[in-house]
Structure formats: C-alpha cells, structure tokens
Amino acid sequence: MGRSFACAGRGLWRALRAERNLRIHLAATALVFSLAPFYPFDRGDWALLFLACGLVWGAELLNTAVERLCDRVCPDRDRAIGWVKDAAAGGVLACAVFAAGAGVCLFADPAGLRALGAAIATPLGAGAALALLAALGLFVLCGGKRKDDKTHF
C-alpha cells in the first residue's frame, strides 16, 4: 500500500512540474482556501469546496495521463487521437466551469465579502494579499520543469 501512495505522489509531483494548467489549478485552490476562512462556511460548504477542487484536480490529472498516452501511442497527427485528447480536455473544462459556479455560490455571501474586505483594508492584510498573489503568479509562471531535468513524465 505504501508503494502505491509513493507512485501516486510521484505522479502528482511530476505532473505539477510539467503541466502549467495543473499549476494554475493549484494556485486557484490555494486562493480559494486562503479566502475561505473569512466566510461563515459550515461543514457542507467546506465539503463542497474540497469536492469541487478535488474534481478539477482529478480531471486535470486524468487529462494529462490521456494526452501523454496518446502522444506515446501515436506521435503523428491523427484525427481519432485528436478527438480523444479534445474530449479529455473538455472534461477538465466542464469540471472547472461547474467548480467555479459552486465557488461563486459560496463566495458571493455579503457577510463573507465584508469580512474579507475589512481584513484586506488593513496594511498587513493588503501586504499579505499582495504577497500571496505574487507568489501564486510566480509559481504558475516559473514553477515548471527545468530544461536540464531528465525526469521522464
């Protein structure tokens, strides 16, 4: 069982390093869970956040696996392979759109927005918000695999 977790963790790590879209999902997840404490979420709301984020992550990882396998099996352009890859990407898009809809429903709460605004209005809160956004942006843009990295994923 430990070996299975190690393999899964290695796959997640490699995908994070190689796939910019997965890093974007990580940044969005970090942002969601950074904002969530300012809202009066109950257990069901938290469960929805975890499920929505997990669904998008799972879809993106499966899409990555499908694309890599397709590229390995058929390195040349192929209409059927293109359809498979597009359908897998469409699955990620569908999950992301519905997760964003759930997020809008949860985060459009006036009390939470007021609490968040009050926290960001302080100098420390504004600095923390700016630092978080800058760090997430740098991770998304620069967090990828180095050219000299010999990891095969």
Side-chain angles (χ1 to χ4, degrees), residues 74 76-87:
C74 185
D76 299 325
R77 286 203 174 275
D78 180 90
R79 187 177 171 126
I81 294 291
W83 188 96
V84 168
K85 290 170 77 172
D86 289 348

Side-chain angles (χ1 to χ4, degrees), residues 67-142:
E67 287 188 353
R68 297 282 176 148
L69 182 60
C70 286
D71 290 346
R72 177 76 175 192
V73 170
C74 185
D76 299 325
R77 286 203 174 275
D78 180 90
R79 187 177 171 126
I81 294 291
W83 188 96
V84 168
K85 290 170 77 172
D86 289 348
V92 176
L93 178 61
C95 290
V97 166
F98 283 100
V104 167
C105 291
L106 290 170
F107 285 101
D109 176 56
L113 287 170
R114 280 193 298 276
L116 179 61
I120 293 176
T122 68
L124 181 60
L130 184 59
L132 174 66
L133 292 174
L136 292 175
L138 283 172
F139 177 73
V140 168
L141 294 174
C142 305

